[in-house]
Amino acid sequence: MENQANTLFSSFDSEEITFFADLILPIPVPKLFTYRVPRGMADDIKIGARVIVPFGKKNGRVLTAIVAKLHNTPPATYQARYINELLDEIPLTTSYQLELFGWISEYYMCCIGEVMNVALPSGLKISSQSKVQFNPDFDYPELLTEFEEVLLTELKKHSALSYEELERLMGEGSNAAAIIKSLIGKKAIIVFEEVREKYVPKMVRKVRLNRNYEEREQLLVLLQRLEKLPKQQEVVMRYLSHVPLQRTPSLNQKGLDKTILNQDDELSQSSLSTLIKNQVFETFEIIQPRFSDNDAGLPQVEIKLTDAQRSASSQIMAQFESQNIVLLHGITGSGKTEVYIDLIQQALNSGSQVLYLLPEIALTTQIVVRLQRVFGDTMGIYHSKFSDNERVEVWKGVVSGQYQFVVGVRSAVFLPFDNLGLIIVDEEHETSYKQHDPAPRYHARDVAIMLAHWQQAKVLLGSATPALETYYQAKQGRYGLVELFQRFGEATLPNITLVNVQQEKKQKTMKNEFSSALLGALEANMERKEQSILFQNRRGYSPYMQCEDCDWTAECPNCAVSLTYHQRDAELRCHYCGHKESVPRLCPTCGSTKVKTIGFGTEKLEDQLQIFFPQSRVLRMDLDTTRAKNAYQQIIQEFEGGQVDILVGTQMITKGLDFDNVSLVGIFDADRLIHFPDFRATERAFQMITQVSGRAGRRAGRQGTVLIQTSNPQQPVLQKVIDNNYKGLYEEELKERQDFNYPPFSRLIKLTIRHTDRAISHQAAQRLAAELTDALGSSRVLGPEEPLVERIRNQFLFDILIKIEREKVNIKAVKTFIQDRINDILTDKGLRQVSIVADVDCL
DNA sequence: AGCACGCCGACT
DNA sequence: GTCGGCGTGCTC
């Protein structure tokens, strides 16, 4: 009997299939969540579409999720909830992206929801707002306070109100939130979540002539009728001057921006309204793409390659026959961009999509304008300085096919491409391709390589100073290698000279931070009306403030670092947590007046330049001067304009900037770059110094000059910079890396353990390190070790570094093992409040 | 992540 | 005696 019933029911079920969807939710929980698909949604729901789901105990909390899987297996241990709403008929994410999300979460040891969170522009995640409504079933079983009555009366006047609206209606300080709370308790009101898309298309109001007047005779009649109304006639004439519908009548349907017609005076505005009222004109609204205007006026330019560039381009194409990844090693100023453009055009002509990745700072108008001249509005731009609405438009433009080509930063690897033919990673060695703080801690170059792999696209990595790892792959034959060792046009590489600061100090020829050699060169350069760039990789005025009489140094109360003195704002600042305090006039411990600044940053250099060269114009470019939205652009444009003599900056001036008139580069404190306590310090120093030097003498004319101030000119890396000897540096570094089993011979995973109590942090780190050493061996596990800055925001840090060789090890299994050990610790009673972060392929 | 539930200090 | 602190556990 029972059996029969079951069969009956299951056959019944199979006809009315119940659908379930496994969803990616934007939360840091390492799994998918299963929801029921409402019957009416079953036909339309697709993998990759966004849905809205209720989540958590509190009824009303909703999240935007992505459909990862559709099936009909009910979950065994719980009752699945229903999906609320389907947002996309056409999925906004491709199957490639879902595969990519999965790969990233596995490889970089994070949750898939965290990947979704950084991948989707927040405009594609819906926002929900709590709204309050009068409960129609409420029949006053309880007494209400006076305030509650007032609020209820307000609510009855409206269908629903938000907390903010109620607050406003009730008056300032009315404590509406508390009243709402008590009314909820009395069941007098209902709270619900109103969900809406954040993305709002930009609408433009347009006008066009009524259809009747599109014909010539009718139009003449109209104009005649308006003879006596000159103002109205003028408006019509103005419209006709913008829309020549005599020649092309179809133009009328596109209409004209309303603002163009009533630009100047109020009279024409009222005339226009009259004309609209009399149905001569009609108004309508259209969606205006946010990018459409930007490039309208740019003339299309054809790119001509030099022989060297043409040869590089065809070598790359030839290598793509047998390699999926090619490294273009081209010296600074060799004109790699033209080679890229040539390859991009070829890829686009073959009908596939192209992605061009650049580090944030290099993605200025300089490069964008150049590309727009060639590709016009088929090119999308994906930049973190763009608004969310703009990013959603690029996203949708990629889905719709409007943008076959996108130039963008790190996060552009998450765009919904489905037919990539070519990915270019420019300035491939740039560390800003690695995301540091929120998970996923991904490297855009490596993600790009995976993305290309799935879509059978080719990858071109470009750099004047390739990452050691990349060059190694090329040397091993796993990547192709093409070299471009000739500067563009007549230009030659700059002449690099070392300036011995120790010696000048002895001879007393230093003026503050400036050697006489550098001052002389700056002066001569200004006389020639040529521009100079000065590089010091430290912002602020000085990194220390110290008392000469006692040992007191200004320190951050929350972090284990000294405070940096910022003269412009007359304050001491912590560069780790943002703590600020005023500058003490007297030493806080001994009361001495001899409180001095020690060391120098960009601000101090800027200051001293004004003293040495009062006539000169100096600009500073660092984090502090580029906070504002368009600050980069402004500084770069101003410097390009030529009214500025000297640009002082931190590493952000090293990245791909291209100025015609710069012939001198000065580098301060090269020693600090070289002696940074990190196994990559030499490589970094070489890259940084070579890159800044490359800003000099980029156009034919005079050879550029680079002066490097150092206390020890004997350091081998400096000689290699002078000789532009990348290969020498590579050989030497590689030996070191092999001896100590660092990348490219191993993969690194850094675990950072954090807690407000140093003892607990240390205990957790030690236990974790011990367990890992046990399983992996002591040669693979380093630490725990206190990092250089051992306390940040009052959290005590410990690092464990894991080195796993590249060959013959199941790295996936190792990661799983590490994650399991981390989870063990996080479930331990005494240690569970520690935070442990894994950084795979840490830099 | 957010949110609720739950057990211990300073307050009407 | 309560309001609220944040430790703990869960979310389909």
Side-chain angles (χ1 to χ4, degrees), chain A residues 548-588:
Chain A
E548 281 194 349
D549 288 336
C550 67
D551 269 348
W552 177 83
T553 311
E555 278 166 14
C556 177
N558 314 316
C559 312
V561 290
S562 67
L563 293 172
T564 299
Y565 171 49
H566 288 252
Q567 192 178 56
R568 171 82 67 88
D569 306 299
E571 62 191 11
L572 296 170
R573 288 222 285 264
C574 173
H575 287 179
Y576 284 81
C577 73
H579 167 86
K580 294 172 181 179
E581 54 185 70
S582 58
V583 186
R585 292 189 61 243
L586 302 173
C587 171

Side-chain angles (χ1 to χ4, degrees), chain A residues 468 472 730-738 744-745:
Chain A
L468 224 71
Y472 177 74
Y730 167 77
E731 298 293 347
E732 208 143 298
E733 275 298 293
L734 200 69
K735 242 182 279 153
E736 292 253 319
R737 302 282 179 96
Q738 185 148 36
F745 299 97

Side-chain angles (χ1 to χ4, degrees), chain A residues 302-529:
Chain A
E302 199 149 315
I303 294 290
K304 288 194 196 72
L305 301 195
T306 63
D307 288 347
Q309 287 169 332
R310 179 152 306 288
S311 153
S313 171
S314 51
Q315 281 180 63
I316 292 165
M317 285 308 283
Q319 301 230 9
F320 276 153
E321 295 289 322
S322 57
Q323 301 276 186
N324 292 321
I325 305 165
V326 172
L327 167 64
L328 172 60
H329 183 200
I331 58 169
T332 57
S334 57
K336 293 189 281 293
T337 313
E338 284 77 11
V339 178
Y340 298 150
I341 289 173
D342 188 45
L343 293 163
I344 293 165
Q345 279 174 326
Q346 292 186 48
L348 289 174
N349 288 341
S350 76
S352 50
Q353 297 165 319
V354 177
L355 170 63
Y356 179 6
L357 292 177
L358 277 165
E360 175 113 15
I361 290 119
L363 191 56
T364 56
T365 33
Q366 284 200 319
I367 184 86
V368 169
V369 167
R370 253 165 104 189
L371 293 171
Q372 261 171 350
R373 289 225 167 103
V374 181
F375 299 101
D377 54 14
T378 57
M379 180 182 91
I381 306 160
Y382 206 65
H383 194 282
S384 65
K385 285 268 156 73
F386 281 170
S387 79
D388 227 81
N389 281 324
E390 289 168 318
R391 291 212 238 172
V392 172
E393 270 174 30
V394 176
W395 187 288
K396 291 187 169 173
V398 172
V399 174
S400 74
Q402 186 195 348
Y403 297 128
Q404 288 289 101
F405 170 36
V406 175
V407 49
V409 294
R410 182 170 74 206
S411 55
V413 295
F414 293 115
L415 285 167
F417 300 105
D418 58 359
N419 178 31
L420 278 168
L422 174 67
I423 304 180
I424 292 169
V425 186
D426 198 6
E427 309 292 350
E428 159 280 327
H429 64 281
E430 265 298 322
T431 53
S432 58
Y433 280 125
K434 181 79 159 69
Q435 168 140 324
H436 246 308
D437 199 17
R441 297 173 173 78
Y442 67 101
H443 198 303
R445 176 193 58 208
D446 302 338
V447 170
I449 288 172
M450 288 312 291
L451 191 62
H453 172 71
W454 286 313
Q455 303 197 20
Q456 276 118 54
K458 302 294 178 185
V459 180
L460 179 62
L461 308 174
S463 176
T465 53
L468 224 71
E469 287 91 331
T470 304
Y471 201 71
Y472 177 74
Q473 298 296 341
K475 280 288 163 193
Q476 293 291 302
R478 281 193 279 267
Y479 298 173
L481 176 62
V482 172
E483 293 170 330
L484 189 53
F485 285 168
Q486 195 186 320
R487 269 204 157 180
F488 185 80
E490 307 287 296
T492 52
L493 279 177
N495 179 30
I496 303 174
T497 312
L498 303 179
V499 178
N500 190 333
V501 175
Q502 284 305 328
Q503 200 179 317
E504 283 220 15
K505 270 182 187 156
K506 256 184 237 154
Q507 295 165 347
K508 308 233 185 277
T509 50
M510 289 288 286
K511 277 190 176 173
N512 296 331
E513 319 300 341
F514 290 80
S515 62
S516 61
L518 183 53
L519 280 177
L522 278 169
E523 191 161 8
N525 218 35
M526 270 185 266
E527 272 166 22
R528 278 194 302 269
K529 301 269 179 247

